[in-house]
């Protein structure tokens, strides 16, 4: 029997719905649509890379912070960074389209892709940046050391972001 392109059980976590409710309350509909589109394309980037490497996706859980896979360091790093790569590619295309057509929505959507890519590259667990850092460190220093250093960097970045948030408020 031929394999279906995507036969995973899809679950949507309550954190996703809470994030969407907050976005709808505080943001214009165009911004919410831009963020949802950027997030969906980000996750599809991960799924496309998984499919390329033949990773079977049995269950897909949509949360406010994404998903996780375990493979060889190189393949998992490519899959981890695939979502951000899709966001950066979409941001460039939308910005170029916006410059050519002077349509405001192009810049809103390009901005959403850039913000999502930058956010996901933060070295804070469970974001893609922390996973990429952990994979690179684990490759060179071993898994235990990679995870310890990543946890320390994640904690330091989280504290720095909290301090920045307090200073800005």
């Amino acid at each position: 029997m031929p394999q279906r392109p995507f036969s995973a059980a899809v679950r949507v976590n309550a954190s996703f719905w809470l994030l969407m409710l907050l976005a709808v309350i505080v943001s214009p509909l165009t911004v919410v649509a831009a963020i949802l589109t950027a997030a969906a394309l980000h996750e599809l980037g991960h799924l496309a890379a998984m499919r390329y490497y033949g990773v079977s996706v049995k269950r897909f859980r949509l949360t406010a912070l994404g998903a996780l896979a375990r493979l060889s360091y190189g393949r998992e790093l490519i899959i981890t960074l695939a979502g951000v790569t899709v966001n950066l590619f979409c941001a460039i295309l939308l910005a170029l389209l916006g410059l050519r057509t002077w349509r405001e929505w192009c810049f809103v959507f390009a901005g959403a892709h850039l913000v999502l890519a930058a956010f996901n590259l933060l070295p804070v667990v469970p974001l893609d940046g922390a996973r990429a850092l952990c994979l690179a460190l684990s490759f060179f220093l071993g898994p235990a050391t990679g995870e310890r250093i990543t946890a320390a960097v994640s904690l330091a970045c989280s504290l720095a972001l909290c301090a920045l948030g307090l200073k800005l408020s």
Side-chain angles (χ1 to χ4, degrees):
M1 183 158 93
Q3 183 182 2
R4 294 186 301 175
F6 186 76
S7 58
V10 177
R11 304 246 191 289
V12 181
N13 189 292
S15 65
F16 173 81
W17 295 117
L18 288 172
L19 184 64
M20 289 306 101
L21 178 62
L22 177 65
V24 169
I25 291 170
V26 300
S27 301
L29 190 55
T30 306
V31 173
V32 174
I35 292 169
L36 284 174
T37 302
L41 290 172
H42 177 97
E43 295 306 327
L44 287 173
H46 290 305
L47 289 173
M50 285 184 211
R51 182 133 173 100
Y52 178 80
Y53 286 116
V55 175
S56 174
V57 179
K58 303 213 183 322
R59 193 174 83 178
F60 184 76
R61 196 168 119 211
L62 186 58
T63 71
L65 296 173
L68 178 66
R70 298 275 183 208
L71 298 166
S72 70
Y73 292 127
R75 286 183 177 179
E76 190 173 342
L77 183 61
I78 290 169
I79 289 169
T80 297
L81 296 176
V84 171
T85 303
V86 167
N87 288 135
L88 293 174
F89 182 73
C90 288
I92 291 168
L93 286 178
L94 286 162
L96 290 173
L97 179 63
L99 288 173
R100 185 172 175 91
T101 62
W102 292 104
R103 297 232 162 89
E104 183 180 326
W105 68 266
C106 290
F107 296 112
V108 171
F109 277 70
H113 279 282
L114 281 177
V115 168
L116 186 63
F119 176 76
N120 268 287
L121 285 175
L122 289 173
V124 176
V125 173
L127 301 176
D128 293 339
R131 188 69 197 142
L133 177 64
C134 186
L135 290 166
L137 290 171
S138 296
F139 179 77
F140 291 108
L141 305 173
T145 303
E147 288 180 20
R148 276 195 309 272
I149 293 172
T150 301
V153 169
S154 177
L155 178 61
C157 282
S158 297
L159 291 173
L161 289 169
C162 287
L164 178 64
L166 289 172
K167 182 171 178 68
L168 293 175
S169 63

